[in-house]
Amino acid sequence: MERVFMKGAEAVAEAAVRAGCRFYAGYPITPQNETPEYLARRLPEVGGVFLQGESEVASINMVLGASIAGAKAMTSSSSVGIALMAEGISQALNGCQPIVIANFMRGGPGGGTIQPAQSDYLQGTKAIGNGGCKLIVLAPCNVQEAADLTYEAFRLAERDRNPVLILADGCIASMMEPVILPPMRTDEELEKERLARRNWISNGVRTRGWGSIKLDLWYGRAAMVNAESQGACGKPVVEHTLESANRLWAELYETWENDIRVEEYRTEDAEYILTGYGTGGRVCRAAVDQLREKGYRVGLIRPIVVNPFPANAYKKLDSQKVKFVLCSEMAIPGQMFEDVQASLCDRIPSYYYGRSGGHILEESEVIDAFMSHLD
Amino acid sequence: MEKIYSRTKAVNQVSGGFCPGCFHGVIVKIIGEVTEEMGLIDKAVCVIGVGCCNNIYGYVKGKVDMVNTPHGRAPAVATGLKRMAPQDTLVYTYQGDGDCAAIGLSEIIYAANRGEKITVIFVNNSTYGMTGGQMAPTTLIGQKSTTTPKGRDADDVGYPMHMCELLNTLRAPVFITRVSCDTAPHILKAKEAIRKGFQNQIDGKGFSFIEIMSSCPTNWGLSPVDSVKFMQENTLKEFPIGTLRDN
């Protein structure tokens, strides 16, 4: 196994290449410029294409085009840049294209600050684009997880023919840590996957041999399902309407229950729960250890997949035993806190502590916040 | 009897989609004819903009692959597609004036500036047809639209955008031409321009831009015949036909 020392933004880039990504387009924005800079060097080495788009809007659409051509493709940006991509992400979902998007969040709203923050949880998990579209959202808490989840993102995207969002922050992007990189996927594997997708990519009619398609950014999922069935049995299997497409997406979202991933640490005997995701979750984990040393029975719930949200991790908490849940985020007001509260249904008191504006959470602050809620 | 003319295999025998007197139907036909004559039907991907150009769908459905794109983004989608598809894939965009010259101005200029090996077919009818006749970037000074009810006033909203001339300031494009549909000879020239644009792509040359002047009887509030007359007396004076670059 290869163990290297890398920045998170570079680990995401290298893991993407190893997962089979052969096209990247993006527009410079701090704090994630190391991702495009790395790929500008790396992609040509594997026969891929790197393009610096003239804007985030153009970049996401270039990625869409590359995916339609049959390539695994990704983009990355930060907060305000992801907002600019909203239309394209929604259209990529509508066109059932398995693209990957990485958001290394910075402070907001608006241009905010270039410093790290967790300001886009609600955007990422609830409304990444118009039209009620949802993505699986993966939230790494360190460089290793950033690499692993990027690799996983390409698998999930291909499986679902749906974009996947990596929701990291500026800390993850800029921090250097040792990382064991995932294995390089072979050209044969990638070609096999491309062929499996040939009913829903286009290099012209010759791509599939049974007629033309419109890679439908209208009613896309119904069109895609029908294109697949035409390849297999020669007739459409679902009504080509927006409503039937919406139902198909809803069915897809239901299947994601199986993709829920959450770290539960020292929760067995816990009387208190600290919770957070990404960098916030990592800080909470360190705070759990410190509080345990002080004699408090504290556990951690850290959602790794934040959409779908691991509500059961909170629902199953014993209200006779757990005295409160403290959610810590690099966002003011709390964003994941809304999901935590909804999952707890007022069974257990819940509190929130956060920093924003580029201030990175510190263990001592989380511990102070914890202490302030003790009886 | 020898059959000397028939419908191209690249276009369906359907009616509807375009209004009476609109030249989109003619343009779709000549694109189809060129695609068939060059043996490119099974290698073509039509990247469609948003607006009346979207109605091309019904005509080529089942014949040629298509990609619908967000409004104005066709050149960006075509960029990614052409870069990652086998290089003999024919990728062309089909865009109107709102799509290409307003919301998608950035995408078209940068695709042209990069010299993307694609062909852009830009239909200029001086109006937003599909949304009901609002002012387009190419609406003439004094020409009425639903958002310039007293006619386009340059002091208020500026002058018509000349896409060919704008793109001609860039070094990378290899072919920039403006053709028209107002007469049969002009339609034949438009067809040859499309052929040239496709051939450039087959030859691995760079960016080709074909602006095709059209009319919109419905939103101009004129009969088809009067629309052609209006085109000849007004539109083609503002947008003279001719080839600006052929490298």
Side-chain angles (χ1 to χ4, degrees):
Chain A
M1 290 293 238
E2 224 178 319
R3 193 177 167 90
V4 291
F5 196 55
M6 283 183 117
K7 277 191 173 186
E10 293 178 334
V12 164
E14 179 58 32
V17 170
R18 288 168 182 241
C21 179
R22 292 295 178 271
F23 184 90
Y24 174 98
Y27 185 80
I29 182 170
T30 307
Q32 59 83 60
N33 296 313
E34 291 85 345
T35 300
E37 285 167 357
Y38 186 93
L39 288 169
R41 296 191 301 272
R42 184 72 172 104
L43 276 172
E45 291 175 3
V46 292
V49 172
F50 166 87
L51 259 183
Q52 181 170 323
E54 61 271 24
S55 66
E56 286 87 350
V57 176
S59 298
I60 186 73
N61 283 286
M62 291 171 182
V63 168
L64 176 57
S67 181
I68 285 168
K72 287 184 192 287
M74 82 171 292
T75 185
S76 63
S77 189
S78 178
S79 296
V80 64
I82 297 289
L84 279 168
M85 291 183 183
E87 174 198 45
I89 295 172
S90 184
Q91 290 283 34
L93 175 136
N94 203 9
C96 301
Q97 292 303 320
I99 65 168
V100 173
I101 307 122
N103 181 2
F104 296 98
M105 294 179 282
R106 53 191 253 173
T113 172
I114 61 170
Q115 307 296 334
Q118 294 181 300
S119 53
D120 304 324
Y121 176 91
L122 290 174
Q123 179 205 40
T125 60
K126 313 297 179 202
I128 188 72
N130 62 298
C133 66
K134 283 182 179 286
L135 314 186
I136 291 181
V137 183
L138 309 171
C141 78
N142 57 38
V143 175
Q144 183 66 59
E145 218 171 58
D148 293 344
L149 291 179
T150 301
Y151 203 69
E152 178 70 354
F154 281 90
R155 186 187 72 81
L156 294 170
E158 197 77 40
R159 182 195 70 185
D160 293 343
R161 309 265 174 91
N162 206 62
V164 172
L165 177 69
I166 299 158
L167 190 67
D169 60 63
C171 289
I172 308 281
S174 308
M175 184 168 50
M176 289 188 90
E177 286 186 310
V179 54
I180 295 170
L181 291 164
M184 189 80 180
R185 299 202 61 202
T186 64
D187 289 346
E188 292 73 38
E189 285 173 337
L190 298 179
E191 181 58 13
K192 211 174 147 189
E193 280 190 358
R194 199 187 70 83
L195 285 173
R197 197 154 68 88
R198 72 177 177 279
N199 287 326
W200 198 241
I201 62 175
S202 182
N203 307 148
V205 172
R206 61 182 169 164
T207 317
R208 64 203 75 80
W210 50 258
S212 90
I213 52 170
K214 184 170 74 151
L215 276 134
D216 223 306
L217 305 178
W218 314 118
Y219 322 159
R221 202 145 198 99
M224 192 266 288
V225 166
N226 283 335
E228 289 290 357
S229 76
Q230 277 167 19
C233 67
K235 59 182 179 192
V237 293
V238 294
E239 211 185 341
H240 186 208
T241 63
L242 180 54
E243 191 177 44
S244 85
N246 288 144
R247 286 206 184 92
L248 290 166
W249 272 302
E251 283 168 21
L252 172 70
Y253 303 155
E254 290 293 315
T255 67
W256 292 347
E257 286 297 304
N258 301 318
D259 297 312
I260 283 173
R261 225 191 275 188
V262 56
E263 180 188 6
E264 289 163 297
Y265 176 65
R266 303 181 89 162
T267 53
E268 305 80 22
D269 62 340
E271 293 175 355
Y272 308 95
I273 295 291
L274 299 189
T275 189
Y277 73 100
T279 297
R282 180 178 180 160
V283 173
C284 286
R285 196 183 202 275
V288 164
D289 286 339
Q290 287 199 26
L291 287 166
R292 282 273 175 176
E293 276 174 30
K294 291 180 197 232
Y296 298 103
R297 289 185 175 174
V298 184
L300 170 80
I301 297 177
R302 178 176 69 87
I304 298 168
V305 174
V306 288
N307 190 57
F309 188 70
N312 277 337
Y314 303 89
K315 283 181 183 163
K316 73 183 184 194
L317 292 175
D318 184 350
S319 58
Q320 303 299 310
K321 206 165 76 183
V322 177
K323 292 175 183 153
F324 66 77
V325 175
L326 174 64
C327 179
S328 298
E329 299 175 61
M330 280 152 45
I332 298 175
Q335 298 191 16
M336 191 182 87
F337 186 47
E338 292 184 10
D339 281 337
V340 172
Q341 283 181 305
S343 306
L344 288 169
C345 299
D346 289 331
R347 289 186 312 111
I348 300 171
S350 58
Y351 307 109
Y352 147 83
Y353 174 76
R355 295 298 308 270
S356 76
H359 295 281
I360 297 162
L361 271 178
E362 291 186 19
E363 290 147 43
S364 60
E365 294 173 339
V366 174
I367 289 167
D368 287 348
F370 170 82
M371 298 302 248
S372 74
H373 293 297
L374 289 176
D375 297 331
Chain B
M1 285 260 278
E2 190 194 353
K3 193 173 184 181
I4 57 163
Y5 183 82
S6 66
R7 179 183 298 277
T8 167
K9 286 186 194 124
V11 175
N12 292 308
Q13 189 166 1
V14 289
S15 60
F18 298 123
C19 303
C22 167
F23 286 118
H24 266 296
V26 173
I27 299 165
V28 168
K29 185 188 80 168
I30 58 177
I31 293 171
E33 286 174 353
V34 173
T35 312
E36 184 187 353
E37 286 160 17
M38 295 179 76
L40 295 170
I41 293 177
D42 70 335
K43 295 174 185 168
V45 187
C46 173
V47 182
I48 313 172
V50 170
C52 284
C53 53
N54 207 268
N55 287 324
I56 193 175
Y57 166 61
Y59 295 90
V60 301
K61 178 187 179 187
K63 309 284 189 183
V64 176
D65 271 9
M66 291 158 282
V67 176
N68 267 345
T69 61
H71 198 12
R73 317 300 173 217
V77 172
T79 294
L81 223 165
K82 180 71 181 184
R83 295 261 188 155
M84 298 314 284
Q87 285 312 288
D88 61 346
T89 308
L90 176 82
V91 179
Y92 67 94
T93 69
Y94 191 59
Q95 304 178 257
D97 38 51
D99 198 77
C100 185
I103 193 167
L105 188 61
S106 172
E107 282 76 8
I108 190 70
I109 286 179
Y110 278 89
N113 195 47
R114 287 189 303 268
E116 294 296 340
K117 295 178 179 60
I118 60 172
T119 308
V120 172
I121 297 169
F122 164 54
V123 180
N124 178 354
N125 64 3
S126 313
T127 188
Y128 280 74
M130 184 169 270
T131 47
Q134 295 81 13
M135 182 190 70
T138 49
T139 297
L140 307 180
I141 297 299
Q143 192 175 4
K144 286 183 179 173
S145 75
T146 58
T147 49
T148 52
K150 292 179 181 168
R152 182 174 186 157
D153 176 2
D155 284 343
D156 187 26
V157 289
Y159 295 87
M161 300 277 285
H162 293 75
M163 289 304 292
C164 284
E165 287 77 359
L166 199 63
L167 295 177
N168 199 31
T169 63
L170 307 173
R171 282 178 66 173
V174 294
F175 184 48
I176 301 172
T177 192
R178 183 181 289 123
V179 292
S180 174
C181 283
D182 64 310
T183 64
H186 282 165
I187 291 169
L188 288 175
K189 281 188 179 167
K191 184 175 167 181
E192 289 318 301
I194 294 167
R195 191 189 308 278
K196 175 94 187 165
F198 285 3
Q199 189 61 46
N200 284 343
Q201 207 179 136
I202 300 308
D203 295 344
K205 289 169 131 186
F207 184 87
S208 298
F209 187 82
I210 300 144
E211 176 172 356
I212 306 181
M213 299 308 299
S214 182
S215 67
C216 183
T218 300
N219 288 301
W220 290 1
L222 297 171
S223 71
V225 172
D226 287 344
S227 294
V228 172
K229 209 173 151 204
F230 182 89
M231 261 178 95
Q232 290 166 338
E233 288 172 0
N234 301 281
T235 321
L236 294 178
K237 296 225 162 62
E238 180 70 30
F239 296 101
I241 58 174
T243 296
L244 282 75
R245 189 180 305 179
D246 185 3
N247 291 343

